[in-house]
Amino acid sequence: MPQVDPTQRFSSRVENYVRYRPGYPPEVIALLKAECGLRRESLVADIASGTGLWTRVLLENGNRVWGVEPNEDMRRAGERFLAGFPRFTSVAGSAENTTLPDHRFDLITAAQAAHWFDRERARREFARIVKPGEWTVLIWNERRTDSTPFLRAYEQVLLDYGTDYREVRHERTTDEIASFYAPSPYRERVFELRQEFDYPALEGRLLSSSYTPQPAHANYAPMLRELRRVFDEHQTGGQVAFEYNTRVYYGKI
């Protein structure tokens, strides 16, 4: 298991996270409107809202959103990023202890985060704050690891130089998702997403990940040398591309 407190893993990576992590495809909001009854009037609790990438999508839809984030550095970055949205409320809390009122929310979301939660405690907390019969949505941008030669080479960089990459990879299993929503059923949809990077942006994207070594680590410089080699080998017109499956799980708990 990871040895670092999950709520603190990204403290030193906030700037790169803000600049280089992907957003979310517009189809996700369309899905929530069609399947989960999302309206402009819906009150949303966005759990582990981080720097606000997904939270902003909800705010741009017109929703009032409470962003709950335990990491102070990430939370402050989110507050700066979302400063222009008066319908945003920043909350110092966690998935297991949101501090939010009982049965207040029409929708709960957690984007790129639920793999860090204590599943049973978070589930109880979500059931406490959501209105009866309303939806909870878990979202991940899952980087494809084998769809192109570049992505296969990038995956090998992580396997060779990452600190605890194998332990914290967040690909979901059917059993994990089913146990979170149990005994209720859940649904799944998958959308495509793509990012393109020049070399500095690719390096920033790599360093935004919690499982990559920091500058003082012995693997840091060799990792960046190998990343540069991989980029040079696979770039086209000075760019390489990440491809993602954006996985959306939604159900009632």
Side-chain angles (χ1 to χ4, degrees), residues 176-241:
E176 286 177 309
I177 299 299
S179 67
F180 182 83
Y181 287 105
S184 301
Y186 70 92
R187 305 173 193 174
E188 177 184 1
R189 290 285 299 276
V190 182
F191 304 102
E192 295 184 350
L193 186 64
R194 179 182 173 94
Q195 278 183 299
E196 294 187 354
F197 300 107
D198 59 14
Y199 179 76
L202 177 65
E203 184 175 304
R205 175 63 178 85
L206 175 73
L207 297 177
S208 76
S209 299
S210 69
Y211 42 72
T212 53
Q214 303 267 353
H217 195 284
N219 279 356
Y220 181 82
M223 176 186 68
L224 293 186
R225 286 196 296 270
E226 179 62 9
L227 184 72
R228 181 81 231 197
R229 186 196 69 77
V230 166
F231 176 86
D232 290 343
E233 180 177 343
H234 296 283
Q235 59 83 26
T236 300
Q239 300 278 313
V240 292

Coordinates of all heavy atoms in Angstrom, one line a residue, residues 176-241:
E176 N -14.8 -3.7 -7.3 CA -14.6 -2.5 -6.5 C -15.8 -1.6 -6.7 O -16.3 -1.0 -5.7 CB -13.3 -1.8 -6.9 CG -12.1 -2.5 -6.4 CD -10.8 -1.8 -6.9 OE1 -10.7 -1.6 -8.1 OE2 -10.0 -1.5 -6.0
I177 N -16.2 -1.3 -7.9 CA -17.3 -0.4 -8.2 C -18.6 -1.0 -7.7 O -19.4 -0.3 -7.0 CB -17.4 -0.1 -9.7 CG1 -16.1 0.5 -10.2 CG2 -18.6 0.7 -10.0 CD1 -15.8 1.9 -9.6
A178 N -18.8 -2.3 -7.9 CA -20.0 -2.9 -7.4 C -20.1 -2.8 -5.9 O -21.2 -2.6 -5.3 CB -20.1 -4.4 -7.9
S179 N -19.0 -3.0 -5.2 CA -19.1 -3.0 -3.7 C -19.3 -1.6 -3.2 O -19.9 -1.4 -2.1 CB -17.8 -3.5 -3.1 OG -16.7 -2.7 -3.4
F180 N -18.9 -0.6 -4.0 CA -19.2 0.8 -3.5 C -20.7 1.1 -3.6 O -21.2 1.7 -2.7 CB -18.4 1.8 -4.4 CG -18.6 3.2 -4.0 CD1 -17.8 3.7 -2.9 CD2 -19.5 4.1 -4.6 CE1 -18.0 5.1 -2.5 CE2 -19.7 5.4 -4.2 CZ -18.9 5.9 -3.1
Y181 N -21.3 0.7 -4.7 CA -22.7 1.0 -4.9 C -23.7 0.0 -4.2 O -24.9 0.3 -4.0 CB -23.0 1.1 -6.3 CG -22.5 2.4 -7.0 CD1 -21.4 2.3 -7.8 CD2 -23.1 3.6 -6.8 CE1 -20.9 3.5 -8.4 CE2 -22.6 4.8 -7.3 CZ -21.5 4.7 -8.2 OH -21.0 5.8 -8.7
A182 N -23.2 -1.2 -3.9 CA -24.0 -2.3 -3.3 C -24.9 -1.8 -2.2 O -24.4 -1.0 -1.3 CB -23.1 -3.5 -2.9
P183 N -26.1 -2.3 -2.1 CA -26.7 -3.4 -3.0 C -27.4 -2.8 -4.2 O -28.0 -3.6 -4.9 CB -27.7 -4.0 -2.0 CG -28.2 -2.8 -1.2 CD -27.0 -2.0 -1.0
S184 N -27.2 -1.5 -4.5 CA -27.9 -0.9 -5.7 C -27.1 -1.2 -6.9 O -25.8 -1.4 -6.9 CB -28.0 0.6 -5.5 OG -28.8 0.9 -4.3
P185 N -27.7 -1.3 -8.1 CA -26.9 -1.4 -9.3 C -26.3 -0.1 -9.7 O -26.6 1.0 -9.1 CB -28.0 -1.8 -10.3 CG -29.3 -1.2 -9.8 CD -29.1 -1.2 -8.3
Y186 N -25.4 -0.2 -10.6 CA -24.8 1.1 -11.2 C -24.6 0.9 -12.7 O -24.8 -0.2 -13.2 CB -23.4 1.3 -10.5 CG -22.3 0.3 -11.0 CD1 -21.5 0.6 -12.1 CD2 -22.1 -0.9 -10.3 CE1 -20.6 -0.3 -12.5 CE2 -21.2 -1.8 -10.8 CZ -20.4 -1.5 -11.9 OH -19.5 -2.4 -12.3
R187 N -24.4 2.0 -13.3 CA -24.2 2.0 -14.8 C -22.8 2.6 -15.1 O -22.2 3.3 -14.3 CB -25.3 2.9 -15.4 CG -26.7 2.5 -15.1 CD -27.7 3.5 -15.6 NE -29.0 3.3 -15.0 CZ -30.1 4.1 -15.3 NH1 -30.0 5.1 -16.1 NH2 -31.2 3.8 -14.7
E188 N -22.3 2.3 -16.3 CA -21.0 2.8 -16.7 C -21.1 3.3 -18.2 O -21.8 2.7 -19.0 CB -20.0 1.6 -16.7 CG -18.6 2.1 -17.2 CD -17.6 0.9 -17.2 OE1 -18.0 -0.2 -16.8 OE2 -16.5 1.2 -17.6
R189 N -20.4 4.4 -18.4 CA -20.3 4.9 -19.8 C -18.8 5.3 -20.0 O -18.1 5.6 -19.0 CB -21.1 6.1 -20.0 CG -22.6 5.8 -20.1 CD -23.0 5.2 -21.4 NE -22.7 6.0 -22.5 CZ -23.6 7.0 -23.0 NH1 -24.7 7.2 -22.3 NH2 -23.2 7.7 -24.0
V190 N -18.3 5.2 -21.2 CA -16.9 5.5 -21.5 C -16.9 6.4 -22.7 O -17.6 6.2 -23.7 CB -16.1 4.2 -21.9 CG1 -14.7 4.5 -22.2 CG2 -16.2 3.2 -20.7
F191 N -16.1 7.5 -22.5 CA -15.9 8.5 -23.6 C -14.4 8.6 -23.9 O -13.5 8.2 -23.1 CB -16.4 9.8 -23.1 CG -17.9 9.8 -22.7 CD1 -18.2 9.8 -21.4 CD2 -18.9 9.8 -23.6 CE1 -19.6 9.8 -21.0 CE2 -20.2 9.7 -23.3 CZ -20.5 9.7 -21.9
E192 N -14.1 9.2 -25.1 CA -12.7 9.3 -25.5 C -12.2 10.7 -25.2 O -13.0 11.7 -25.3 CB -12.6 9.0 -27.0 CG -12.9 7.6 -27.3 CD -12.6 7.3 -28.8 OE1 -12.4 8.3 -29.6 OE2 -12.6 6.1 -29.2
L193 N -10.9 10.8 -24.9 CA -10.3 12.1 -24.6 C -8.9 12.1 -25.1 O -8.3 11.0 -25.0 CB -10.4 12.4 -23.1 CG -9.9 13.8 -22.6 CD1 -10.8 14.9 -23.2 CD2 -9.9 13.9 -21.1
R194 N -8.4 13.2 -25.5 CA -7.0 13.3 -26.1 C -6.3 14.6 -25.6 O -6.9 15.6 -25.5 CB -7.1 13.2 -27.6 CG -5.7 13.3 -28.3 CD -6.0 13.3 -29.8 NE -4.8 13.5 -30.6 CZ -4.0 12.5 -31.1 NH1 -4.4 11.3 -30.9 NH2 -2.9 12.8 -31.8
Q195 N -5.0 14.5 -25.3 CA -4.2 15.6 -25.0 C -2.9 15.5 -25.9 O -2.4 14.4 -26.1 CB -3.7 15.6 -23.6 CG -4.6 16.2 -22.5 CD -3.9 16.2 -21.2 OE1 -3.5 15.1 -20.7 NE2 -3.7 17.3 -20.6
E196 N -2.4 16.7 -26.3 CA -1.2 16.7 -27.1 C -0.2 17.6 -26.3 O -0.5 18.6 -25.7 CB -1.4 17.3 -28.5 CG -2.3 16.4 -29.3 CD -2.3 16.8 -30.8 OE1 -1.8 17.9 -31.1 OE2 -2.9 16.1 -31.6
F197 N 1.1 17.2 -26.3 CA 2.2 17.8 -25.6 C 3.4 18.1 -26.4 O 3.8 17.2 -27.2 CB 2.6 16.9 -24.4 CG 1.5 16.6 -23.4 CD1 1.0 15.3 -23.4 CD2 1.0 17.5 -22.5 CE1 0.0 15.0 -22.5 CE2 0.0 17.2 -21.6 CZ -0.5 15.9 -21.6
D198 N 4.1 19.2 -26.2 CA 5.4 19.4 -26.6 C 6.3 18.8 -25.5 O 5.7 18.3 -24.5 CB 5.8 20.8 -27.0 CG 5.6 21.8 -25.8 OD1 5.4 21.3 -24.6 OD2 5.6 23.0 -26.0
Y199 N 7.6 18.8 -25.6 CA 8.4 18.2 -24.6 C 8.2 18.8 -23.2 O 8.0 18.1 -22.2 CB 9.9 18.1 -24.9 CG 10.6 17.4 -23.7 CD1 10.5 16.0 -23.5 CD2 11.3 18.2 -22.8 CE1 11.0 15.4 -22.4 CE2 11.8 17.5 -21.7 CZ 11.7 16.2 -21.5 OH 12.2 15.6 -20.4
P200 N 8.3 20.2 -23.0 CA 8.2 20.7 -21.7 C 6.8 20.4 -21.0 O 6.7 20.1 -19.8 CB 8.3 22.2 -21.9 CG 9.1 22.4 -23.1 CD 8.7 21.2 -24.0
A201 N 5.8 20.3 -21.8 CA 4.5 20.0 -21.3 C 4.4 18.5 -20.9 O 3.8 18.1 -19.9 CB 3.4 20.3 -22.3
L202 N 5.0 17.6 -21.7 CA 5.1 16.2 -21.4 C 5.8 16.0 -20.1 O 5.4 15.2 -19.2 CB 5.8 15.4 -22.5 CG 6.0 13.9 -22.2 CD1 4.6 13.2 -22.2 CD2 6.8 13.3 -23.3
E203 N 6.9 16.7 -19.9 CA 7.6 16.6 -18.6 C 6.7 17.1 -17.5 O 6.7 16.4 -16.4 CB 8.9 17.4 -18.7 CG 9.8 17.3 -17.4 CD 11.1 18.0 -17.6 OE1 11.9 17.7 -18.5 OE2 11.4 18.9 -16.7
G204 N 6.0 18.2 -17.6 CA 5.1 18.6 -16.6 C 4.0 17.7 -16.3 O 3.6 17.5 -15.1
R205 N 3.5 17.0 -17.4 CA 2.4 16.0 -17.2 C 3.0 14.8 -16.4 O 2.3 14.3 -15.4 CB 1.9 15.6 -18.5 CG 0.9 14.4 -18.5 CD -0.3 14.8 -17.7 NE -1.3 13.8 -17.7 CZ -1.4 12.8 -16.8 NH1 -0.4 12.7 -15.9 NH2 -2.3 11.9 -16.9
L206 N 4.2 14.4 -16.7 CA 4.8 13.3 -15.9 C 5.0 13.7 -14.5 O 4.6 12.9 -13.6 CB 6.2 13.0 -16.5 CG 7.0 11.9 -15.8 CD1 6.4 10.5 -16.0 CD2 8.5 12.0 -16.3
L207 N 5.5 14.9 -14.2 CA 5.8 15.3 -12.8 C 4.5 15.6 -12.0 O 4.6 15.8 -10.8 CB 6.8 16.5 -12.9 CG 8.2 16.1 -13.5 CD1 9.0 17.4 -13.5 CD2 8.8 15.0 -12.7
S208 N 3.4 15.7 -12.7 CA 2.1 16.0 -11.9 C 1.7 14.7 -11.2 O 0.8 14.8 -10.4 CB 1.1 16.5 -12.9 OG 0.5 15.4 -13.7
S209 N 2.2 13.6 -11.6 CA 1.8 12.3 -11.0 C 2.5 12.0 -9.7 O 3.7 12.2 -9.5 CB 2.1 11.1 -12.0 OG 1.5 11.3 -13.2
S210 N 1.7 11.5 -8.7 CA 2.2 11.4 -7.4 C 3.2 10.2 -7.2 O 3.9 10.2 -6.2 CB 1.0 11.1 -6.4 OG 0.4 9.8 -6.7
Y211 N 3.3 9.4 -8.2 CA 4.2 8.2 -8.1 C 5.5 8.5 -8.9 O 6.3 7.5 -9.1 CB 3.5 7.0 -8.7 CG 2.7 7.2 -9.9 CD1 3.3 7.5 -11.2 CD2 1.3 7.2 -9.9 CE1 2.6 7.7 -12.3 CE2 0.5 7.4 -11.0 CZ 1.2 7.7 -12.2 OH 0.4 7.9 -13.4
T212 N 5.8 9.7 -9.3 CA 7.1 10.0 -10.0 C 8.0 10.5 -8.9 O 7.6 11.3 -8.0 CB 6.9 10.9 -11.2 OG1 6.2 12.1 -10.7 CG2 6.1 10.3 -12.3
P213 N 9.3 10.2 -9.1 CA 10.3 10.7 -8.1 C 10.5 12.2 -8.1 O 10.3 12.9 -9.1 CB 11.6 10.0 -8.5 CG 11.4 9.6 -9.9 CD 9.9 9.4 -10.1
Q214 N 10.8 12.8 -7.0 CA 11.1 14.2 -6.8 C 12.6 14.4 -7.1 O 13.4 13.5 -7.3 CB 10.8 14.6 -5.4 CG 9.4 14.4 -4.9 CD 8.5 15.5 -5.2 OE1 8.9 16.6 -5.5 NE2 7.2 15.4 -4.9
P215 N 13.0 15.7 -7.3 CA 14.4 16.0 -7.8 C 15.5 15.4 -6.9 O 16.5 15.0 -7.5 CB 14.4 17.5 -7.7 CG 13.0 17.9 -8.0 CD 12.2 16.9 -7.3
A216 N 15.3 15.2 -5.6 CA 16.4 14.6 -4.8 C 16.5 13.1 -4.9 O 17.5 12.5 -4.5 CB 16.1 15.0 -3.3
H217 N 15.5 12.5 -5.6 CA 15.5 11.0 -5.7 C 16.5 10.6 -6.8 O 16.7 11.2 -7.8 CB 14.1 10.6 -6.0 CG 13.8 9.1 -5.8 ND1 14.3 8.2 -6.7 CD2 13.2 8.4 -4.9 CE1 13.9 7.0 -6.3 NE2 13.2 7.1 -5.2
A218 N 17.1 9.4 -6.5 CA 18.1 8.9 -7.5 C 17.5 8.6 -8.8 O 18.3 8.6 -9.8 CB 18.7 7.6 -6.9
N219 N 16.2 8.3 -8.9 CA 15.6 8.0 -10.2 C 15.2 9.2 -11.0 O 14.8 9.1 -12.2 CB 14.4 7.1 -10.0 CG 14.7 5.7 -9.8 OD1 15.8 5.3 -9.8 ND2 13.7 4.9 -9.5
Y220 N 15.3 10.4 -10.4 CA 14.7 11.6 -11.1 C 15.4 11.9 -12.4 O 14.8 12.0 -13.4 CB 14.7 12.8 -10.1 CG 14.2 14.0 -10.6 CD1 12.8 14.3 -10.6 CD2 15.0 15.0 -11.2 CE1 12.3 15.5 -11.1 CE2 14.5 16.2 -11.7 CZ 13.1 16.4 -11.6 OH 12.6 17.6 -12.1
A221 N 16.7 12.1 -12.3 CA 17.4 12.5 -13.5 C 17.4 11.4 -14.6 O 17.2 11.7 -15.8 CB 18.9 12.9 -13.2
P222 N 17.6 10.1 -14.2 CA 17.5 9.1 -15.3 C 16.1 9.0 -15.9 O 16.0 8.7 -17.1 CB 17.9 7.8 -14.5 CG 18.7 8.2 -13.3 CD 18.2 9.6 -13.0
M223 N 15.1 9.2 -15.1 CA 13.8 9.2 -15.6 C 13.6 10.3 -16.7 O 13.0 10.0 -17.7 CB 12.7 9.4 -14.5 CG 11.3 9.5 -14.9 SD 10.2 9.9 -13.6 CE 10.6 11.6 -13.2
L224 N 14.0 11.5 -16.4 CA 13.9 12.6 -17.4 C 14.7 12.4 -18.6 O 14.3 12.7 -19.7 CB 14.2 13.9 -16.7 CG 13.2 14.4 -15.6 CD1 13.6 15.8 -15.2 CD2 11.8 14.3 -16.1
R225 N 15.9 11.8 -18.5 CA 16.7 11.4 -19.7 C 15.9 10.4 -20.6 O 15.9 10.6 -21.8 CB 18.0 10.9 -19.3 CG 19.0 11.9 -18.8 CD 20.4 11.4 -18.7 NE 20.6 10.3 -17.8 CZ 20.9 10.5 -16.5 NH1 21.1 11.7 -16.0 NH2 21.1 9.4 -15.8
E226 N 15.3 9.4 -19.9 CA 14.6 8.4 -20.7 C 13.3 9.0 -21.3 O 12.9 8.7 -22.4 CB 14.2 7.2 -19.8 CG 13.4 6.2 -20.5 CD 14.2 5.5 -21.6 OE1 15.4 5.8 -21.8 OE2 13.5 4.7 -22.4
L227 N 12.7 9.9 -20.6 CA 11.5 10.6 -21.1 C 11.9 11.4 -22.4 O 11.1 11.4 -23.4 CB 10.9 11.5 -20.1 CG 9.6 12.2 -20.5 CD1 8.4 11.2 -20.5 CD2 9.2 13.4 -19.5
R228 N 13.0 12.1 -22.3 CA 13.4 12.9 -23.5 C 13.7 12.0 -24.6 O 13.3 12.3 -25.8 CB 14.7 13.7 -23.1 CG 15.2 14.5 -24.2 CD 14.5 15.8 -24.3 NE 14.0 16.1 -25.7 CZ 13.6 17.3 -26.1 NH1 13.6 18.3 -25.3 NH2 13.2 17.4 -27.3
R229 N 14.3 10.8 -24.4 CA 14.6 9.9 -25.5 C 13.3 9.4 -26.1 O 13.2 9.3 -27.3 CB 15.4 8.7 -24.9 CG 15.9 7.8 -26.0 CD 16.4 6.4 -25.5 NE 15.3 5.7 -24.9 CZ 14.4 5.0 -25.6 NH1 14.4 5.0 -27.0 NH2 13.4 4.3 -25.1
V230 N 12.4 9.0 -25.2 CA 11.1 8.5 -25.7 C 10.4 9.6 -26.5 O 9.8 9.3 -27.6 CB 10.2 8.1 -24.5 CG1 8.8 7.8 -24.9 CG2 10.8 6.8 -23.9
F231 N 10.4 10.8 -26.1 CA 9.7 11.9 -26.8 C 10.4 12.1 -28.2 O 9.7 12.1 -29.2 CB 9.8 13.2 -26.0 CG 9.3 14.4 -26.8 CD1 7.9 14.7 -26.7 CD2 10.1 15.2 -27.5 CE1 7.4 15.8 -27.4 CE2 9.6 16.3 -28.2 CZ 8.2 16.6 -28.2
D232 N 11.7 12.1 -28.2 CA 12.4 12.3 -29.5 C 12.1 11.2 -30.5 O 12.0 11.4 -31.7 CB 13.9 12.4 -29.2 CG 14.3 13.7 -28.5 OD1 13.5 14.7 -28.5 OD2 15.4 13.8 -28.0
E233 N 12.0 10.0 -30.0 CA 11.8 8.9 -30.9 C 10.4 8.9 -31.4 O 10.1 8.5 -32.6 CB 12.0 7.6 -30.1 CG 11.7 6.3 -30.9 CD 12.0 5.0 -30.2 OE1 12.7 5.1 -29.1 OE2 11.6 4.0 -30.6
H234 N 9.4 9.4 -30.7 CA 8.0 9.2 -31.1 C 7.3 10.5 -31.5 O 6.1 10.4 -31.9 CB 7.2 8.5 -29.9 CG 7.6 7.2 -29.6 ND1 7.3 6.1 -30.4 CD2 8.5 6.7 -28.6 CE1 7.8 5.0 -29.9 NE2 8.6 5.3 -28.8
Q235 N 7.9 11.6 -31.3 CA 7.2 12.9 -31.6 C 6.9 13.0 -33.1 O 7.7 12.5 -33.9 CB 8.0 14.1 -31.1 CG 9.4 14.2 -31.6 CD 9.5 14.9 -33.0 OE1 8.6 15.7 -33.3 NE2 10.5 14.6 -33.8
T236 N 5.9 13.7 -33.4 CA 5.5 14.1 -34.8 C 5.2 15.6 -34.8 O 4.3 16.0 -34.1 CB 4.3 13.3 -35.3 OG1 4.6 11.9 -35.3 CG2 4.0 13.7 -36.7
G237 N 6.1 16.4 -35.5 CA 5.9 17.8 -35.5 C 6.0 18.4 -34.1 O 5.4 19.4 -33.8
G238 N 6.9 17.8 -33.3 CA 7.2 18.3 -32.0 C 6.1 18.0 -31.0 O 6.1 18.7 -29.9
Q239 N 5.3 17.1 -31.2 CA 4.1 16.8 -30.3 C 4.0 15.2 -30.2 O 4.3 14.5 -31.1 CB 2.8 17.3 -30.9 CG 2.8 18.8 -31.2 CD 2.4 19.5 -29.9 OE1 1.5 19.2 -29.2 NE2 3.2 20.6 -29.7
V240 N 3.6 14.9 -29.0 CA 3.1 13.5 -28.7 C 1.7 13.6 -28.1 O 1.3 14.7 -27.6 CB 4.0 12.7 -27.8 CG1 5.4 12.4 -28.4 CG2 4.2 13.5 -26.5
A241 N 1.0 12.5 -28.1 CA -0.4 12.5 -27.7 C -0.7 11.5 -26.6 O -0.2 10.3 -26.7 CB -1.4 12.3 -28.9

